[in-house]
Amino acid sequence: MPSSSSSSATVYSAPILRKLAEVAPQLQPSLRKVADFILRHPLKAATLTIEELAQATQTSPAAVNRLAKAMELRGYISLKSELVATLQDMVSPVDKLRDELAQRPDGAFGLHEQLQIASSNLGAAASSNDAAVFEAVIGRLLGARRIYILGFGNSAYMAGLAAANLVPFCDDATAISMEGGNENAAYRLAAITERDVLLTISLPRYSLDTLQLARFARERGACVLAITDSPASPLVEIAEYSLFAPAEHPVLISSNAAVLALIEALVAGVMARNKEAVSLAQELTESVMAYLHVPGTERAPRRPRKRRP
């Protein structure tokens, strides 16, 4: 299997990882665990021995070898050499920082570390997403009659942010998971049709309700889009298009920095392709001008009236 040599190719467009993503859904559970680990941590997997990979995935060296053979490779040595050839110019600052934190007796985690992790995830997002997929997602959003946006847990806030920023420039954009919990989100999604889009947001640990509602939307003929962490996400099998927001963090369960960046990119992409965006933005600004701070226009504070003797 040839290795990708193009410096502009994304991580997940590399032949070895594309092949792994293709075969993963059909694998037996033990092999799927190994495949998912490699898809989520391609940089780290390239540095591990077969015993270390088996330990990290709570499987066995035999399972790792069987995965390689399921990909039509001779064994783990061939699989690792393909990973190294694809990722040799990349490093994983998250893993380095995690190891460094383990050596700190006080377990300190500061602002510099957080900014380093955010920068790492943003860089990984840039190398994990294909421009053609991004353009396709923009096209689906612009062509939708109605856009439903779904996320639970921390992703609910990301869904609300996406809806609030898309709504001036799309016909209809609604975050369906903000109030009333999972049951009300299902009610709001009940009217979805083939003319609509469901944008789902889910990071590890994935919400079962997000997956169930995404399947419901697909069964209704709607276009399902996903923002998730990697091709190992169960949302990838449901969505028509997926954008990847690497969420590695040495302390938090998941980092939202890359999700926020992708949401901003989608909003900017929609605005840039909406011919009426400039006038819409101007109208929006004018409508809220009375509530904004403008230098030199501050109201003088009211002076208290003097009491009459």
Side-chain angles (χ1 to χ4, degrees), residues 6-304:
S6 172
S7 60
S8 62
T10 66
V11 171
Y12 293 121
S13 68
I16 184 66
L17 293 176
R18 288 176 59 185
K19 178 68 174 178
L20 188 57
E22 290 172 4
V23 303
Q26 288 78 43
L27 296 173
Q28 62 186 72
S30 60
L31 274 63
R32 178 67 189 263
K33 289 174 68 175
V34 182
D36 284 355
F37 181 89
I38 296 173
L39 288 171
R40 287 198 180 95
H41 313 284
L43 305 178
K44 183 174 184 179
T47 69
L48 299 179
T49 65
I50 188 171
E51 291 80 10
E52 290 169 337
L53 183 55
Q55 183 177 7
T57 56
Q58 297 181 338
T59 58
S60 66
V64 177
N65 263 324
R66 288 200 304 273
L67 170 64
K69 292 178 180 178
M71 298 175 63
E72 300 178 354
L73 297 170
R74 292 189 300 275
Y76 178 67
I77 298 300
S78 297
L79 173 60
K80 182 172 181 177
S81 65
E82 289 286 344
L83 288 172
V84 171
T86 299
L87 307 167
Q88 60 184 347
D89 295 328
M90 304 180 69
V91 294
S92 179
V94 178
D95 289 324
K96 287 185 176 182
L97 182 56
R98 184 181 286 112
D99 293 339
E100 181 182 334
L101 289 174
Q103 304 302 318
R104 298 182 186 181
D106 58 354
F109 184 87
L111 176 62
H112 175 77
E113 285 82 0
Q114 174 57 36
L115 295 178
Q116 183 181 352
I117 293 305
S119 177
S120 171
N121 283 332
L122 291 174
S127 64
S128 299
N129 290 289
D130 186 88
V133 173
F134 179 79
E135 291 297 326
V137 171
I138 294 293
R140 293 295 189 273
L141 293 176
L142 286 172
R145 178 194 65 162
R146 183 179 294 122
I147 301 171
Y148 297 87
I149 308 176
L150 172 66
F152 291 113
N154 284 342
S155 295
Y157 302 102
M158 295 290 105
L161 179 69
N165 284 275
L166 283 172
V167 72
F169 311 104
C170 298
D171 289 339
D172 188 357
T174 306
I176 63 172
S177 49
M178 296 301 294
E179 298 176 355
N182 304 7
E183 185 175 350
N184 274 1
Y187 287 151
R188 296 186 184 105
L189 197 62
I192 196 168
T193 72
E194 69 278 358
R195 293 187 292 165
D196 303 324
V197 162
L198 173 65
L199 174 61
T200 57
I201 305 173
S202 188
L203 301 175
R205 309 164 182 168
Y206 310 106
S207 164
L208 290 175
D209 290 304
T210 299
L211 300 176
Q212 183 176 355
L213 291 175
R215 291 190 186 97
F216 169 79
R218 189 178 68 175
E219 290 169 0
R220 294 291 300 271
C223 171
V224 178
L225 307 173
I227 296 178
T228 190
D229 64 307
S230 78
S233 167
L235 267 179
V236 172
E237 298 177 34
I238 305 171
E240 180 178 355
Y241 293 106
S242 298
L243 293 174
F244 300 122
E248 281 285 284
H249 200 284
V251 178
L252 305 176
I253 294 175
S254 296
S255 169
N256 288 294
V259 174
L260 177 58
L262 287 180
I263 290 172
E264 290 188 349
L266 290 176
V267 173
V270 166
M271 289 181 64
R273 292 157 184 78
N274 187 326
K275 296 179 180 179
E276 299 178 356
V278 174
S279 60
L280 288 170
Q282 183 176 352
E283 290 176 9
L284 181 62
T285 301
E286 291 174 353
S287 67
V288 300
M289 187 62 72
Y291 305 96
L292 301 179
H293 169 75
V294 179
T297 62
E298 294 88 347
R299 298 173 183 173
R302 294 182 178 179
R303 295 181 179 179

